[in-house]
Amino acid sequence: MIDTYFPPMYENSSFHCPHCNVKAQQDWSNTSYYSHGSATPIPELRVSKCVHCKRLTIWYDKTVIIPLVSLAAKPHPNMPDSLINDYQEARSIVNFSPRGAAALLRLALQKLMIELGESGKDINKDIGSLVEKGLSEEVQQALDIVRVIGNESVHPGELDLQDDYDTALSLFELINFIIDDQISRKRKISELFSKLPESKRNGIAIRDK
């Protein structure tokens, strides 16, 4: 299983630091500016300090402005090459355009359907086909979440992802979860099965005919 990623979230007491990438406690401080000997609070500007690396993350209006790094989960180690560019582009813009990132992840999902043996022409039908083949309800729901939110980001309807940063970040985690379940888990089982003695594998094949 992939390690859980805890992206930086405003006022959270701990998360993966954007500087050292370690999940660590964060100490929060308010800011002020001084003029003519008096201090005036700046409520929109706050600072979190990583207990592990001691470096500061600066937030303005509840959004990270320094450092300029993506807060979305990194691509799964077994992510197919066909998805990497779209996924990384989505990571690069999610801080500024959650809706744009969701649209790119919807495109990545379409390409993932092809990697899973489906047509890639109609994601909804592809998911239905996977369900018929025994896809678990949990993975089906993850697929549909990315599909629906991605579609809504391209053709706005009942959902408005323009400022929904937290939901956009969750989509990255869902893409990685789907890859972990549908690609990594099956690859690991296949590798373990191939290590069985050939006579045992032949016997299993004869049994299952």
Side-chain angles (χ1 to χ4, degrees):
M1 293 294 290
I2 57 175
D3 294 332
T4 302
Y5 175 69
F6 295 89
M9 293 291 182
Y10 185 69
E11 292 190 334
N12 274 18
S13 60
S14 66
F15 48 69
H16 277 87
C17 172
H19 292 286
C20 65
N21 201 37
V22 171
K23 184 178 184 294
Q25 178 183 331
Q26 303 292 321
D27 292 335
W28 288 85
S29 300
N30 298 321
T31 63
S32 301
Y33 73 89
Y34 288 83
S35 177
H36 303 293
S38 62
T40 303
I42 310 175
E44 301 87 358
L45 189 65
R46 300 198 70 201
V47 176
S48 58
K49 182 178 181 179
C50 175
V51 171
H52 179 263
C53 70
K54 311 302 183 184
R55 300 182 70 180
L56 302 179
T57 298
I58 301 176
W59 303 69
Y60 183 79
D61 197 20
K62 302 181 181 181
T63 300
V64 174
I65 58 173
I66 298 176
L68 291 177
V69 295
S70 176
L71 305 181
K74 294 180 180 180
H76 192 287
N78 290 326
M79 181 173 289
D81 291 341
S82 61
L83 280 67
I84 292 291
N85 287 342
D86 295 323
Y87 188 92
Q88 293 288 41
E89 184 177 351
R91 289 186 74 238
S92 72
I93 68 170
V94 68
N95 293 13
F96 312 101
S97 178
R99 186 172 62 183
L104 284 167
L105 291 180
R106 188 256 183 215
L107 178 59
L109 181 64
Q110 187 170 1
K111 295 178 179 179
L112 179 57
M113 291 296 99
I114 297 174
E115 298 288 343
L116 297 181
E118 303 302 325
S119 70
K121 296 179 180 179
D122 186 322
I123 298 177
N124 192 41
K125 290 183 179 179
D126 288 345
I127 294 174
S129 175
L130 290 172
V131 170
E132 290 179 357
K133 297 174 183 177
L135 186 73
S136 71
E137 182 179 4
E138 188 176 28
V139 178
Q140 169 260 307
Q141 290 178 350
L143 288 166
D144 277 320
I145 290 169
V146 179
R147 175 184 67 85
V148 171
I149 294 179
N151 285 344
E152 291 283 323
S153 67
V154 179
H155 307 290
E158 298 178 27
L159 297 176
D160 183 4
L161 203 65
Q162 184 64 44
D163 299 313
D164 196 345
Y165 180 64
D166 292 351
T167 296
L169 288 180
S170 296
L171 298 182
F172 291 89
E173 296 179 18
L174 289 177
I175 289 286
N176 281 339
F177 165 72
I178 295 163
I179 291 171
D180 195 63
D181 184 272
Q182 292 295 293
I183 295 178
S184 296
R185 182 175 59 84
K186 292 181 179 180
R187 183 177 299 175
K188 183 176 182 179
I189 292 174
S190 179
E191 290 174 353
L192 290 172
F193 187 78
S194 68
K195 293 180 181 179
L196 294 178
E198 183 177 4
S199 60
K200 300 298 183 181
R201 286 185 277 118
N202 289 338
I204 292 171
I206 293 172
R207 179 201 66 191
D208 294 341
K209 282 186 178 179

